[in-house]
Amino acid sequence: CRAAIPINSDWLKPNCCRAAIPINSDTKARRTMRTLLSLVLGMGLCEAALCKEHSCAAGTKQIAGKEDTDQGNDAAATCCEAAKCSEHTCATGTKPKDGVSDTDQTADPAAVCCVAAKCSEHTCATGTKLKDGVSDTDQTADPAAVCCVAAKCSEFTCAVHTTAITANADEDQTDAPQTKCCEDKKCQDYSCPTGYGATTGQEQAAQTTDPTTACCTVDATKCASHSCAAGTKAKDASAGTDKGATDAEAATNCCEVDATKCASHSCAAGTKAKDNSAGTDKGATDAEAATNCCDALTCAEYEDCKVTEKTIDDGSTAQGSTPATTCCQVDSTVTAVAVEGTAIFVADATMEQARTAVHMMLAELLSVKTVDITVTVNSAAKTTRARRLDVFTHTATFAVHFADFTKATAGHTALTDLTKDAAETSLKTQLVAAGGKDSEDPTWTLTLQAVVDPDSCAAFNCAAGYTMKDGEGATKPATAEACCVVDDTKCLSHNCAVGTKAKAEAAGTDKGATDAEAATNCCEAAKCSEHTCAAGTKAITSKAGEDQTADPAANCCEALKCVDYMCAVGSKAKTSEADKELDSNPAALCCEDDPAVTPVPVTGAATFVAHATTEQAQSAVHEMLAALLSVNTVDVTVTVASEEKMAAAARRLNGHGGVFTHTATFSVHFADKAKASAGHQALTDLTKTDAEAALDTQLKAAGGHLDETDGAWSLTMEALVDENSCEVFQCPLGQKMKNGVGATAPSTVAACCENDPAVTPVAVEGTASFVAMATTAQAQTAVAAMLAELLTAKAVDVTVTVASEAKAATPAAGTRRLADEVFTHNATFAVHFADFTKATAGHKTLTDLVKADAETSLKKHLLAAGGKDSEDPMWAVTLMAVVDPASCAAFTCPVGQKVKDAEAATAQGSTPATTCCEADTTATVVEVKGTMTFTATGTEANVQTAVQSMLSTSLGVPAHDITVTVTAADVPAARRLAEQQFSVEYTVKYATSEAATAGHKTLTDLTPEAAAPVLKTALEEAGVTVPEEFTVVKEEQEPVETSSTTAGATVSGSCETGVAAAAVVALLALHL
């Protein structure tokens, strides 16, 4: 109720408001009211009214779109606008004024927008009529009374099947004049139409709106009783006509085709009448009739394809105007066999009539379709004396095509066995049907050609340059090999000289009597573009259009260079080597590692049976994978194992050797995981049919082919592994793969591995120096790879660091390379083994390694790493002794102690400190002491273990150099009964003051807040339960130096007052 005052005690009602006193007055009362209103509005007891809650005044209307707008202080102005006369409904007896549609209604819309209506504009109700002389009278608010008067029955026109009631002529019509003024006509007054008779007993019945049905009965012998079929209609004036004895007679006597229906329409060629369309309206035009009455014939309904064709029977293709073209396609499974011959006869017929007669005669006699018969006729007038001039001698040449040799042979026999009389009788019938006349002496004579088996050599056409073998006409099946032999007189038998090629289309050309003539007739110069350069070379592009000459390799080809070599995924081209010719190891010459790319392999295995050697199978799979996956062949590796398949001798194909089962193991490398996933999916989705087709193509290119009987391809794909994930990561010795981290990437030792308590690695350490033309990185890579290979160690277990120094050129050498290319490399290495025995064997291998063998191995790995060997590698190696990790020599004694003399080789045993160590009287021990207080649930022993572990980890100090004492005390009664307060005192021993000072600083920098989560983890791992809100109170003392003889003594004493006070404060802080 903005700007309004609540008018009763129910302040929360939004509609209990009245206009407010203006709140901007300066009078005291109004200032008070303004304050009150501010309080009311501030309390949220009133809210703004919206336009949709306002009723606009007469002549105005609500403004569209402002329904949810605040009314404000002037609701009429904010929410309303003038309404137009077009929006006003005039009262009864009035009508809208002309020309005022867009005029504002104002406060009196009836006066502004409306005018009185006249009686001439009023429609009187049923049973009344307009009064005489009132046309120009105003209707007023009751137009029926002012303008209308009751009408009499004498003024009403009764319905056709009723008649006026004479006695009611002067009666008012009322609101039902048909009932008041009229009565039904009787059947006795109705004359039945032709074909009907009056129904007996219905004389007094009402005629109704259908008097023929109500009053009459049809005559069953007349057309009136017959229903014409769809598409026909009753003949004019036929109702009384006798319909006849049958339905057919009735249809003829009573009905005629309805020219407006589809029954009268003839569908065009290629179409047929729609089902049940005879009675459908055909439309006004032929186009409408074709649409309404006809459907297209489909190819499935076409039966006139040739014997060498088959019908497209999909049921959806329309025949159209040329169904033979639209609906028929070549049937590659059928080779037509023709029966050919000639027939001579005399007839009184034109050439076309004679051709048609022979065509139809042959179709009937041989039961073949006319489309499979071709007939040509030559006619000559017969001029014998006394004969008619229109008699001709006709010579018909025909060919009848059959689906196979057997059917053709049967047809040939049928014609051979045809008697002259039978032939002439059939021919006369067909001549008459064609419009001709028979002759007194048709003198039919027939000559047939032999039928040739299309599968035999007799029907085979040898290719150009070949000729038919003698005596092979009946040989089946007909193949080039079985039927044909090279014709020695043709160019096909001539071998063109190097640098030339056979002329196009010259295979069947006579080669001539001499080699010179043959060279001229059969050969022409070959172009460089047609020469295949040998491996390691490429075509010279600029010479593509030049003749090869007698030495095409020299004239057309040049050596491949690094710029032509495609480096494998994971490596990149060396820019500096682009113009160098390829050698036997192009990858090393032209490429270097690409640190930006880690190849991701897709691996799998495929099995198939083929007539192919292992090399052919390997080549085929290699090329097939490269093509299918659109990768370079250098990124595909394939190995094939082959086993001869013991098939029957008949399975062996001449010239292809035996049949082998080939198992191909492959790996395809991609530049990243996404591309590898796509490649893996492509191979997974590869259908057996597509795989076999692609493989067979490559096998044939390699000189073999898939076995026709059981060459089935089967493929097994390994799961795609991310090369950067822990799944393929190798943990170093002493560590093992964490559970459940296989998919973690990137892979690092920290991410993938954890300590393996079952393995204590033993290192073989040493140094080696050598001279080589290699960078420090190349030298480091080479030494690491060399050691891994020599010692059969994993790369992750070999660590190498190299320091390099440029070696000055020796003046006497003369041919030495520049000094800055040659370096002396000093490598420090460590190779880790799983145990002392293996480490000892590795140490011996390096000790026994002769200089020459070491240099040979090093050179190989230097080259692989991209470096070069030097004339004086000067390999020298120095090895450290291998220490047994189970011996005292590998044990670190506690601070203040040393390994006993002569005990280095002794086994540590279960108490290594006792077994291996003794007091070192010369040693200095520096102690750092401290305390911790906290609340937890557990045993003192477990707490001691946890604190010792935490300090050892945090300070990097062996546990045996840390002493921990734990005291447990009950907590206040308000706490859980199982919880105790633990007070911990610890001492950490160091060998030097510097180490102790550093340790002390580490402890003091570890604030209680930072120490709490570290200690909590250690306690929980030791089996101690820690409260959710865990806090620690801690204090450290300054380092104190003692002698080794007193380092282990217990010192007792009393707390200083300040320390006690601090402890009380800490205890209160912990619990409060």
Side-chain angles (χ1 to χ4, degrees):
C1 302
R2 184 168 60 185
I5 306 171
I7 61 173
N8 63 18
S9 61
D10 190 358
W11 284 18
L12 296 181
K13 284 187 179 182
N15 297 322
C16 299
C17 307
R18 63 186 176 188
I21 302 171
I23 63 174
N24 57 355
S25 170
D26 289 332
T27 66
K28 180 176 181 181
R30 287 173 178 170
R31 283 199 302 273
T32 301
M33 184 58 63
R34 183 171 59 201
T35 302
L36 176 60
L37 284 176
S38 297
L39 288 171
V40 171
L41 293 174
M43 292 169 63
L45 298 179
C46 297
E47 63 181 3
L50 304 178
C51 281
K52 63 185 177 184
E53 300 168 313
H54 176 69
S55 297
C56 292
T60 64
K61 63 178 181 179
Q62 190 173 84
I63 300 172
K66 282 197 171 185
E67 293 83 355
D68 294 321
T69 301
D70 291 351
Q71 292 180 10
N73 293 326
D74 189 350
T78 302
C79 305
C80 305
E81 64 182 354
K84 303 298 181 183
C85 282
S86 59
E87 300 169 299
H88 177 67
T89 302
C90 292
T92 301
T94 64
K95 64 179 181 180
K97 289 180 180 178
D98 292 335
V100 296
S101 296
D102 202 40
T103 301
D104 291 345
Q105 292 181 12
T106 73
D108 188 1
V112 172
C113 304
C114 303
V115 65
K118 303 299 182 181
C119 282
S120 59
E121 299 170 300
H122 179 67
T123 300
C124 292
T126 300
T128 65
K129 64 179 180 178
L130 191 67
K131 290 180 180 178
D132 292 335
V134 296
S135 295
D136 202 39
T137 302
D138 290 344
Q139 292 181 11
T140 73
D142 188 2
V146 172
C147 304
C148 303
V149 66
K152 302 300 182 182
C153 280
S154 60
E155 299 172 295
F156 183 71
T157 301
C158 292
V160 67
H161 63 284
T162 61
T163 186
I165 300 173
T166 305
N168 290 349
D170 291 330
E171 296 286 332
D172 291 343
Q173 292 181 10
T174 73
D175 58 356
Q178 177 66 37
T179 301
K180 176 71 176 178
C181 306
C182 308
E183 63 183 354
D184 291 332
K185 292 180 179 178
K186 305 300 181 182
C187 281
Q188 65 184 6
D189 301 319
Y190 180 70
S191 297
C192 291
T194 302
Y196 290 82
T199 302
T200 304
Q202 287 292 101
E203 292 82 1
Q204 296 303 313
Q207 291 182 12
T208 73
T209 56
D210 183 6
T212 299
T213 300
C215 304
C216 308
T217 302
V218 68
D219 186 342
T221 66
K222 305 298 182 183
C223 283
S225 66
H226 180 67
S227 297
C228 291
T232 63
K233 62 180 181 179
K235 290 181 178 179
D236 293 340
S238 66
T241 303
D242 291 337
K243 66 179 182 181
T246 65
D247 287 341
E249 290 178 354
T252 301
N253 297 335
C254 306
C255 306
E256 63 185 0
V257 174
D258 189 341
T260 67
K261 304 298 182 184
C262 284
S264 67
H265 180 69
S266 297
C267 291
T271 63
K272 62 180 180 179
K274 287 183 177 179
D275 294 338
N276 304 316
S277 65
T280 302
D281 290 338
K282 68 179 182 181
T285 64
D286 288 342
E288 290 178 354
T291 300
N292 297 334
C293 305
C294 306
D295 279 332
L297 284 166
T298 66
C299 285
E301 300 168 288
Y302 187 69
E303 298 178 348
D304 288 329
C305 290
K306 294 179 180 178
V307 71
T308 55
E309 299 174 331
K310 58 184 177 183
T311 305
I312 299 172
D313 58 354
D314 59 5
S316 61
T317 303
Q319 291 182 13
S321 59
T322 56
T325 301
T326 304
C327 301
C328 302
Q329 62 183 5
V330 174
D331 187 349
S332 58
T333 65
V334 177
T335 302
V337 183
V339 172
E340 300 175 327
T342 56
I344 301 173
F345 57 96
V346 177
D348 186 356
T350 64
M351 185 185 299
E352 181 57 30
Q353 290 169 342
R355 191 197 66 77
T356 300
V358 173
H359 201 145
M360 300 308 296
M361 169 189 172
L362 290 171
E364 182 180 77
L365 288 173
L366 301 177
S367 301
V368 296
K369 292 185 287 187
T370 56
V371 72
D372 291 319
I373 302 173
T374 57
V375 180
T376 58
V377 174
N378 289 319
S379 304
K382 186 172 177 65
T383 57
T384 305
R385 183 169 53 88
R387 298 305 301 268
R388 296 192 301 269
L389 294 178
D390 52 1
V391 176
F392 292 85
T393 298
H394 301 283
T395 301
T397 303
F398 62 84
V400 184
H401 295 86
F402 294 88
D404 54 48
F405 180 63
T406 301
K407 293 178 181 177
T409 301
H412 189 278
T413 300
L415 289 179
T416 302
D417 295 344
L418 184 64
T419 66
K420 182 175 181 295
D421 289 343
E424 291 178 353
T425 299
S426 176
L427 181 61
K428 287 179 181 180
T429 301
Q430 296 298 343
L431 281 168
V432 171
K437 302 174 185 177
D438 66 275
S439 170
E440 291 82 353
D441 51 354
T443 59
W444 168 272
T445 58
L446 178 66
T447 303
L448 292 175
Q449 298 179 22
V451 180
V452 177
D453 187 346
D455 294 328
S456 68
C457 284
F460 190 79
N461 292 319
C462 292
Y466 290 87
T467 186
M468 183 68 67
K469 290 181 180 179
D470 293 336
E472 296 293 338
T475 300
K476 292 174 61 176
T479 64
E481 184 178 359
C483 305
C484 306
V485 65
V486 174
D487 189 339
D488 291 337
T489 67
K490 305 298 182 184
C491 282
L492 183 64
S493 66
H494 179 69
N495 293 322
C496 292
V498 175
T500 65
K501 63 177 181 177
K503 288 181 178 179
E505 310 296 335
T509 302
D510 290 338
K511 66 180 181 182
T514 65
D515 287 343
E517 290 178 352
T520 301
N521 296 335
C522 305
C523 305
E524 62 185 358
K527 302 298 181 184
C528 280
S529 59
E530 301 168 303
H531 177 67
T532 301
C533 292
T537 64
K538 65 176 181 178
I540 301 174
T541 307
S542 61
K543 290 191 174 186
E546 294 184 11
D547 292 344
Q548 293 180 12
T549 72
D551 189 358
N555 190 46
C556 304
C557 306
E558 63 182 351
L560 286 170
K561 297 181 179 180
C562 280
V563 72
D564 305 306
Y565 184 73
M566 184 65 68
C567 293
V569 170
S571 62
K572 59 183 178 179
K574 295 179 183 176
T575 308
S576 60
E577 308 293 331
D579 291 329
K580 289 192 176 179
E581 294 183 359
L582 299 187
D583 58 12
S584 59
N585 189 1
L589 175 66
C590 305
C591 306
E592 61 185 354
D593 288 340
D594 185 352
V597 177
T598 301
V600 182
V602 171
T603 56
T607 304
F608 55 95
V609 178
H611 297 263
T613 65
T614 299
E615 292 73 18
Q616 291 169 339
Q618 181 173 346
S619 174
V621 174
H622 196 274
E623 295 299 324
M624 168 191 171
L625 291 173
L628 286 174
L629 301 178
S630 300
V631 296
N632 298 317
T633 54
V634 72
D635 293 318
V636 182
T637 57
V638 180
T639 58
V640 173
S642 304
E643 181 180 354
E644 188 167 13
K645 188 173 179 63
M646 301 304 292
R651 295 268 324 281
R652 309 293 179 87
L653 291 183
N654 293 332
H656 290 289
V659 182
F660 292 85
T661 299
H662 301 284
T663 301
T665 304
F666 61 85
S667 178
V668 185
H669 290 82
F670 294 87
D672 54 49
K673 180 69 177 292
K675 293 178 181 177
S677 296
H680 190 280
Q681 190 64 47
L683 288 179
T684 303
D685 294 342
L686 184 63
T687 66
K688 181 174 178 292
T689 301
D690 291 345
E692 289 175 357
L695 179 62
D696 196 39
T697 299
Q698 297 298 341
L699 280 169
K700 288 175 179 175
H705 63 85
L706 269 182
D707 185 68
E708 297 87 346
T709 305
D710 52 3
W713 163 278
S714 66
L715 178 67
T716 303
M717 296 292 299
E718 294 184 14
L720 185 62
V721 176
D722 186 348
E723 290 292 300
N724 292 320
S725 70
C726 289
E727 188 170 354
V728 296
F729 187 75
Q730 289 187 323
C731 292
L733 284 169
Q735 299 200 33
K736 61 182 180 180
M737 187 67 66
K738 293 178 181 177
N739 290 329
V741 297
T744 302
S747 55
T748 62
V749 172
C752 305
C753 308
E754 62 185 1
N755 287 333
D756 185 355
V759 178
T760 302
V762 182
V764 173
E765 299 176 325
T767 59
S769 63
F770 56 94
V771 176
M773 282 184 287
T775 64
T776 299
Q778 291 168 341
Q780 182 173 330
T781 299
V783 173
M786 168 189 171
L787 291 171
E789 180 180 71
L790 288 172
L791 301 177
T792 317
K794 295 185 295 185
V796 72
D797 293 321
V798 180
T799 57
V800 179
T801 58
V802 174
S804 305
E805 181 180 355
K807 182 175 176 65
T810 304
T815 58
R816 290 298 301 271
R817 297 178 178 85
L818 296 178
D820 60 356
E821 293 182 355
V822 182
F823 292 85
T824 297
H825 301 284
N826 295 302
T828 302
F829 62 84
V831 183
H832 294 84
F833 294 88
D835 53 48
F836 181 63
T837 302
K838 293 178 180 177
T840 301
H843 188 278
K844 186 176 187 306
T845 298
L846 290 180
T847 303
D848 294 344
L849 184 64
V850 299
K851 182 175 182 294
D853 291 343
E855 291 178 352
T856 299
S857 177
L858 180 62
K859 287 178 182 180
K860 179 179 74 172
H861 290 292
L862 280 169
L863 290 172
K868 303 170 184 176
D869 66 276
S870 172
E871 289 82 348
D872 50 355
M874 300 186 298
W875 167 271
V877 67
T878 303
L879 294 175
M880 297 171 60
V882 179
V883 178
D884 185 351
S887 68
C888 287
F891 182 70
T892 302
C893 290
V895 172
Q897 298 187 28
K898 64 180 179 178
V899 177
K900 294 177 182 178
D901 293 338
E903 295 292 340
T906 302
Q908 296 176 11
S910 59
T911 56
T914 302
T915 302
C916 303
C917 304
E918 64 183 359
D920 185 355
T921 57
T922 65
T924 300
V925 179
V926 183
E927 295 180 344
V928 174
K929 296 184 178 182
T931 61
M932 295 183 190
T933 305
F934 52 85
T935 300
T937 303
T939 65
E940 291 181 355
N942 288 347
V943 171
Q944 181 179 12
T945 299
V947 173
Q948 192 174 45
S949 173
M950 169 201 169
L951 291 171
S952 177
T953 302
S954 300
L955 300 175
V957 174
H960 58 228
D961 288 326
I962 303 173
T963 304
V964 177
T965 303
V966 179
T967 303
D970 293 335
V971 296
R975 303 291 295 211
R976 288 178 295 177
L977 294 178
E979 287 186 349
Q980 289 182 303
Q981 179 174 291
F982 291 96
S983 297
V984 177
E985 296 179 358
Y986 61 84
T987 302
V988 184
K989 299 176 182 178
Y990 293 92
T992 65
S993 296
E994 292 77 8
T997 301
H1000 183 269
K1001 185 177 187 304
T1002 299
L1003 289 171
T1004 55
D1005 289 346
L1006 188 66
T1007 64
E1009 292 77 14
V1014 179
L1015 179 59
K1016 180 179 180 182
T1017 299
L1019 288 167
E1020 289 175 341
E1021 289 178 351
V1024 177
T1025 303
V1026 181
E1028 184 174 346
E1029 295 182 1
F1030 180 68
T1031 58
V1032 180
V1033 177
K1034 60 189 287 291
E1035 183 180 8
E1036 297 79 27
Q1037 298 178 16
E1038 292 293 331
V1040 177
E1041 184 177 329
T1042 67
S1043 67
S1044 61
T1045 57
T1046 62
T1050 302
V1051 180
S1052 61
S1054 60
C1055 290
E1056 295 180 4
T1057 304
V1059 175
V1064 173
V1065 171
L1067 181 64
L1068 291 172
L1070 178 66
H1071 292 287
L1072 300 180

